[in-house]
């Protein structure tokens, strides 16, 4: 999935206004072979209802997106993408009273990212260089300065991928990637001068991969692959991840599908799985006390095309999970390492 470049032939402005939100998109050429696209939106029902009752719906979200794309003389492309998004809930929890200051419940969460991508065709091959930084943060606070919980997760990524097509039967991808995470988790009270939690995670992940989409004949697609992962930054973990997938066409409209693979993850999302909808997650990373999570997947199914526009896919799967974390309800704030418990499951 890639973000489209801006209009290269002319300037366009698109927008929409409703009772709940407004959005605008502007795109066009900057110069020969350079285009841009900028969009933004915001809800404002909180402002519309504020004169009637400030606590009726004290919530809004806003985001903005931009991309600049340059076509290079070598027929390659260089693109810069940036995004910012924020959700904010600001609720008056306790009203001001004589001799008593009011208390507000403030919750905010969102993402920021910037990415630079260089693509260069080399004969029948394509070289892709990717550099990005992405940060998610969330906070809950009883203000002013009574109690605040903050969590942030940032990842810096550098990735090189080479696509090779040595014939019509093979599409090979090989590459390497480096990820550097920075995760902070803090619970504090400025008014009480207490700091209950201060957790820091700095996992670093290096990986190399090889993937081949092979068509031995027209009725069969086979996709073998392997990935090597090495985790540092407190954790010391190395592993291979074999992967395999296939699609076999029994007729031109009906195919059997399947895949299997092993996956590892050096970051954990801590949330109550019994709650179907949550506004945000808390993220931590692998270190000397937090393991790297592992999962094995196997999937089998079929795909039936009923028409050119309608298809039916049915799949069954089995997935096992190892070294997942859940919050420890009996955590001792004075002891590092007992904040979470291990869990396993299918």
């Amino acid at each position: 999935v890639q973000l489209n470049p801006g209009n290269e032939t002319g300037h366009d402005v698109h927008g929409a206004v409703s009772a709940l939100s407004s959005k605008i998109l502007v795109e066009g050429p900057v110069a020969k072979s350079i285009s841009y696209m900028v969009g933004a939106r915001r809800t404002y029902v909180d402002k519309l209802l504020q004169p009637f009752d400030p606590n009726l719906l004290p919530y809004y979200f806003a985001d903005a997106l931009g991309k600049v794309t340059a076509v290079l003389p070598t027929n390659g492309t260089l693109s810069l993408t940036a995004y910012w998004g924020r959700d904010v809930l600001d609720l008056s929890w306790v009203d001001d009273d004589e001799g008593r200051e009011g208390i507000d419940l403030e919750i905010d969460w969102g993402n920021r990212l910037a990415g630079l991508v260089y693509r260069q065709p080399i004969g029948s091959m394509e070289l892709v260089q990717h550099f990005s930084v992405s940060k998610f943060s969330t906070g809950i606070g009883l203000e002013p300065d009574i109690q605040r919980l903050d969590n942030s997760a940032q990842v810096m990524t550098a990735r090189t991928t080479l696509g090779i097509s040595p014939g019509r039967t093979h599409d090979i991808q090989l590459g390497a990637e480096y990820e550097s995470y920075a995760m902070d988790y803090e619970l504090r009270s400025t008014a009480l001068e207490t700091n209950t939690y201060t957790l820091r995670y700095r996992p670093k992940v290096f990986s190399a991969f090889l993937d081949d989409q092979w068509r031995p004949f027209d009725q069969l697609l086979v996709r073998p692959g392997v990935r090597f992962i090495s985790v540092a930054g407190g954790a010391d973990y190395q592993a291979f991840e074999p992967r395999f997938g296939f699609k076999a066409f029994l007729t031109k409209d009906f195919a059997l599908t399947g895949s299997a693979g092993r996956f590892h993850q050096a970051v954990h999302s801590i949330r109550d799985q019994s709650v179907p909808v949550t506004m945000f997650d808390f993220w931590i990373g692998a270190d000397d006390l937090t393991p790297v999570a592992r999962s094995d997947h196997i999937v089998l199914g079929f795909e039936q095309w009923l028409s050119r526009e309608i298809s039916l896919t049915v799949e069954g799967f089995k997935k096992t999970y190892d070294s997942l974390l859940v919050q420890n309800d009996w955590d001792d704030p004075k002891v590092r390492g007992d904040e979470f418990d291990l869990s396993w499951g299918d």
Side-chain angles (χ1 to χ4, degrees):
V1 178
Q2 300 177 35
L3 184 66
N4 286 331
N7 192 330
E8 300 176 353
T9 59
H11 296 277
D12 289 326
V13 179
H14 311 272
V17 177
S18 71
L20 300 180
S21 65
S22 294
K23 58 184 178 181
I24 186 171
L25 175 69
V26 182
E27 59 180 335
V30 177
K32 185 178 179 180
S33 302
I34 302 177
S35 63
Y36 75 94
M37 178 175 62
V38 179
R41 61 179 176 170
R42 190 195 191 280
T43 63
Y44 42 70
V45 66
D46 58 319
K47 299 297 184 183
L48 297 178
L49 297 178
Q50 193 172 33
F52 305 98
D53 185 349
N55 282 334
L56 191 59
L57 187 61
Y59 163 82
Y60 74 89
F61 80 84
D63 57 14
L65 174 70
K67 183 176 182 178
V68 177
T69 305
V71 179
L72 306 176
T74 58
N75 292 325
T77 60
L78 183 66
S79 60
L80 175 64
T81 303
Y83 172 83
W84 171 88
R86 206 73 191 162
D87 291 68
V88 177
L89 175 65
D90 190 354
L91 177 66
S92 178
W93 191 264
V94 177
D95 294 331
D96 288 328
D97 202 352
E98 184 176 351
R100 182 185 66 188
E101 188 176 14
I103 300 175
D104 293 336
L105 172 64
E106 296 181 1
I107 306 176
D108 63 275
W109 65 97
N111 296 277
R112 293 177 290 171
L113 69 88
L116 183 67
V117 178
Y118 167 64
R119 297 179 179 273
Q120 179 60 55
I122 307 173
S124 61
M125 301 183 296
E126 183 184 48
L127 176 68
V128 181
Q129 301 278 359
H130 171 102
F131 303 94
S132 67
V133 57
S134 175
K135 184 174 184 179
F136 167 81
S137 61
T138 184
I140 306 174
L142 290 175
E143 305 294 346
D145 301 326
I146 297 175
Q147 189 91 326
R148 183 163 181 88
L149 173 65
D150 286 293
N151 178 230
S152 65
Q154 177 178 289
V155 57
M156 300 180 65
T157 304
R159 180 172 62 248
T160 299
T161 304
L162 183 64
I164 305 173
S165 299
R168 65 174 298 272
T169 61
H170 287 274
D171 289 315
I172 300 173
Q173 295 280 329
L174 58 91
E177 183 177 59
Y178 177 76
E179 297 171 304
S180 178
Y181 292 88
M183 302 178 180
D184 299 322
Y185 187 87
E186 187 172 46
L187 176 62
R188 68 185 184 279
S189 172
T190 303
L192 300 178
E193 297 182 348
T194 60
N195 196 322
T196 307
Y197 276 134
T198 301
L199 302 178
R200 301 285 184 265
Y201 299 94
R202 298 295 185 266
K204 303 180 187 304
V205 182
F206 169 80
S207 58
F209 60 89
L210 173 64
D211 177 271
D212 181 15
Q213 184 160 290
W214 176 35
R215 295 174 291 277
F217 45 89
D218 291 341
Q219 291 76 29
L220 180 63
L221 301 177
V222 181
R223 191 169 185 174
V226 64
R227 188 181 188 94
F228 171 77
I229 181 173
S230 178
V231 182
D236 184 11
Y237 188 91
Q238 295 82 36
F240 284 95
E241 300 176 333
R243 299 171 186 183
F244 180 81
F246 76 90
K247 179 179 286 190
F249 289 90
L250 303 186
T251 71
K252 66 183 182 70
D253 297 323
F254 181 82
L256 298 177
T257 62
S259 62
R262 171 163 290 181
F263 305 86
H264 294 85
Q265 187 164 300
V267 298
H268 296 263
S269 172
I270 305 300
R271 56 168 291 187
D272 186 349
Q273 300 294 332
S274 64
V275 179
V277 178
T278 58
M279 290 185 295
F280 50 82
D281 292 327
F282 295 114
W283 296 89
I284 64 174
D287 61 9
D288 56 332
L289 297 173
T290 307
V292 176
R294 188 187 74 189
S295 180
D296 292 325
H297 296 191
I298 182 168
V299 184
L300 292 173
F302 69 84
E303 183 179 285
Q304 173 71 59
W305 284 89
L306 305 176
S307 69
R308 294 180 64 89
E309 294 81 21
I310 301 175
S311 67
L312 172 67
T313 300
V314 177
E315 291 182 336
F317 64 87
K318 180 178 177 60
K319 300 182 180 182
T320 62
Y321 300 90
D322 185 10
S323 299
L324 298 183
L325 295 182
V326 294
Q327 192 127 13
N328 178 15
D329 295 332
W330 303 99
D331 166 44
D332 184 346
K334 299 179 181 179
V335 178
R336 180 180 179 267
D338 70 341
E339 294 84 10
F340 310 101
D341 291 326
L342 287 176
S343 70
W344 294 265
D346 295 341

